[in-house]
Amino acid sequence: MHSEIDRISELAEAGERMIERLRKKAFLPEARKGLSVRYGIAEAAALLECSTNRIRMAEEDGRLPPPPPTENGRRPGYTIEELLNMREVLDASPRRAPLDTPAMIAVQNFKGGVGKSTVTTHLAHYFGVQGYRVLVVDCDSQATTTTLFGFNPHFNVTREQTLYPYLSIEPTQQTLDYAVQGTPWPNVDLIPSNLELFDVEYELAAAGSDGGSVLASRFRKLKQGLMELAQDYDIVLLDPPPALGTISLAVMQAANALLVPMAATTPDYCSTVQFLSMMEQVTGQLQEAGIAVEYDFVRLICSKFDANDPSHAMVRQIMEQSFGPALLPVPILESAEISHAALRMMTVYELERPIGTPRTHKRCRANLDEAMGQVEALVRRGWGVAQPASEETVVNAA
């Protein structure tokens, strides 16, 4: 006779099988996620802050290979790889200078459902389009970010591929190099997660009287390991669990910037206030214990904002009054395009063509570019670099 506890196991297994079916359906024919998005010459020029004529001249003089024409003779557009090569040839790479500190941004809120993993993944892909070298570290055992990158945490990721071998009480890895996985994006890498990462929480909780020193050592170890890895990247995005646990605290201490997404509802606002209050207490306790916590910037961003909902507008006004300039001025708008892309385990930046209407897609993409660009501006300001001016702006100014 089956108990209700047995039923939980059956439901979990049925759900995992369905996720695998969805993944295979989304990533046919080889059941692995690919990246097919291409950029026209005008869009490529806008991304590189140059003229289309400069690109054509580089193709004509052989510095750049022209994209092969399709059967109808039209340009198929440039791949991400071709854009990255174009940036190198035309000296349009946004990479940090060797002495600049890599941005290590924790995307955190203890309230679930605020779009934490969606914001993290869209940020990663936005930075990828812009030409930065990005590492995403999924520190959440729920592994939503890992799933959005095309990995099934249950079938494709083992405990040995997560942070576990590095953070466990009896570590088998001394650096984090083992955990870095390539993604369909040539300049975006991932350290994946799965449910077994939660074993770290159990182990440290069971550390007994020596738990305090063990915790402190794990905090320092995660920061050290991430800083070593970060030397090969411009930006590291950390997706911690939505709870105040050992891993969350370690991530908060390892990061040098904090981005807090929150939806425009009263419960989300109240929960975010509680999160900030708890962060203040915890960071104070960590500093008293000799564990430094320093951020280049702390910003909040309103996610899932419906401009046509009066209640959203009211809560956003409350946010502005409460948080002032710490609240980024451009919210992430609620969009069916984001939801439809997520159903395919994708972000809007990975779509070859609109899922809904072209108008909806264009509006969504423009909003995401503007919202994510706010974070990019903060990162570049930390490096002492302003946003590059376009050739058109320079010509008009002259």
Side-chain angles (χ1 to χ4, degrees):
M1 179 178 177
H2 275 16
S3 68
E4 291 302 299
I5 297 298
D6 294 328
R7 192 183 305 277
I8 293 174
S9 175
E10 292 171 358
L11 292 171
E13 291 176 4
E16 291 289 355
R17 288 195 297 271
M18 180 55 70
I19 289 174
E20 186 63 10
R21 285 175 60 189
L22 289 171
R23 191 181 71 86
K24 288 181 176 179
K25 185 176 181 181
F27 309 145
L28 287 175
E30 69 280 355
R32 290 289 297 182
K33 190 171 186 178
L35 185 63
S36 304
V37 65
R38 287 179 177 267
Y39 300 84
I41 190 168
E43 192 171 8
L47 285 168
L48 271 65
E49 300 284 349
C50 72
S51 65
T52 56
N53 189 47
R54 188 180 179 195
I55 295 174
R56 288 194 175 97
M57 288 176 62
E59 291 176 347
E60 289 171 4
D61 63 26
R63 285 178 295 152
L64 286 176
T70 56
E71 292 180 1
N72 58 12
R74 298 181 61 186
R75 287 171 175 255
Y78 301 95
T79 65
I80 288 289
E81 289 94 337
E82 289 167 337
L83 278 181
L84 292 174
N85 177 58
M86 196 181 293
R87 287 184 182 277
E88 294 296 327
V89 171
L90 300 181
D91 193 24
S93 174
R95 289 183 179 181
R96 62 182 174 85
L99 294 181
D100 288 332
T101 302
M104 299 179 61
I105 307 170
V107 183
Q108 176 63 303
N109 195 327
F110 293 163
K111 173 75 167 63
V114 298
K116 180 171 63 70
S117 297
T118 304
V119 169
T120 301
T121 313
H122 275 88
L123 257 180
H125 292 167
Y126 168 83
F127 281 125
V129 170
Q130 300 301 320
Y132 296 91
R133 300 165 299 171
V134 184
L135 173 66
V136 180
V137 186
D138 194 350
C139 312
D140 185 356
S141 58
Q142 295 181 66
T144 305
T145 294
T146 297
T147 302
L148 285 171
F149 269 97
F151 297 87
N152 185 316
H154 186 73
F155 292 104
N156 305 134
V157 180
T158 67
R159 185 166 72 171
E160 285 65 39
Q161 294 173 300
T162 71
L163 292 173
Y164 177 85
Y166 183 76
L167 291 179
S168 67
I169 291 292
E170 298 180 354
T172 56
Q173 298 285 351
Q174 299 307 312
T175 70
L176 284 170
D177 299 275
Y178 73 93
V180 177
Q181 303 276 334
T183 76
W185 293 75
N187 55 337
V188 181
D189 291 334
L190 171 73
I191 293 182
S193 178
N194 70 6
L195 196 58
E196 293 178 287
L197 179 60
F198 196 75
D199 289 349
V200 170
E201 303 279 1
Y202 284 124
E203 290 182 5
L204 294 175
S209 59
D210 195 36
S213 61
V214 172
L215 284 175
S217 70
R218 287 303 173 275
F219 289 171
R220 294 189 178 95
K221 185 177 183 182
L222 180 61
K223 184 168 187 174
Q224 177 188 349
L226 289 173
M227 281 304 298
E228 290 171 357
L229 271 187
Q231 299 313 305
D232 294 328
Y233 299 93
D234 303 302
I235 294 160
V236 178
L237 297 172
L238 306 167
D239 185 6
L244 187 61
T246 302
I247 294 177
S248 289
L249 290 175
V251 169
M252 294 295 97
Q253 193 264 337
N256 59 25
L258 178 63
L259 183 66
V260 183
M262 57 178 174
T265 70
T266 303
D268 282 283
Y269 170 80
C270 295
S271 175
T272 300
V273 172
Q274 291 296 315
F275 163 68
L276 294 171
S277 177
M278 199 174 299
M279 277 293 297
E280 179 193 17
Q281 297 175 30
V282 169
T283 53
Q285 292 169 356
L286 289 174
Q287 287 171 340
E288 287 176 7
I291 302 172
V293 180
E294 296 179 0
Y295 296 138
D296 293 333
F297 64 83
V298 175
R299 293 292 187 277
L300 300 97
I301 186 166
C302 182
S303 60
K304 300 184 175 182
F305 181 70
D306 185 350
N308 298 315
D309 188 330
S311 69
H312 280 216
M314 182 185 71
V315 174
R316 177 160 173 78
Q317 189 175 17
I318 292 171
M319 292 177 184
E320 291 170 347
Q321 293 173 355
S322 304
F323 305 128
L327 177 70
L328 293 175
V330 179
I332 299 172
L333 300 178
E334 183 84 73
S335 175
E337 202 73 358
I338 295 176
S339 303
H340 291 155
L343 184 62
R344 293 160 172 78
M345 301 181 191
M346 302 171 79
T347 68
V348 172
Y349 290 104
E350 295 178 291
L351 297 177
E352 288 182 74
R353 60 184 65 87
I355 297 176
T357 66
R359 182 181 176 185
T360 299
H361 178 86
K362 186 176 181 180
R363 184 170 62 240
C364 176
R365 175 65 185 271
N367 166 249
L368 284 170
D369 285 347
E370 192 177 5
M372 303 298 151
Q374 300 172 119
V375 183
E376 180 189 9
L378 290 167
V379 169
R380 294 184 67 82
R381 189 185 71 182
W383 295 338
V385 181
Q387 289 291 84
S390 66
E391 288 184 3
E392 181 182 356
T393 303
V394 173
V395 169
N396 291 339

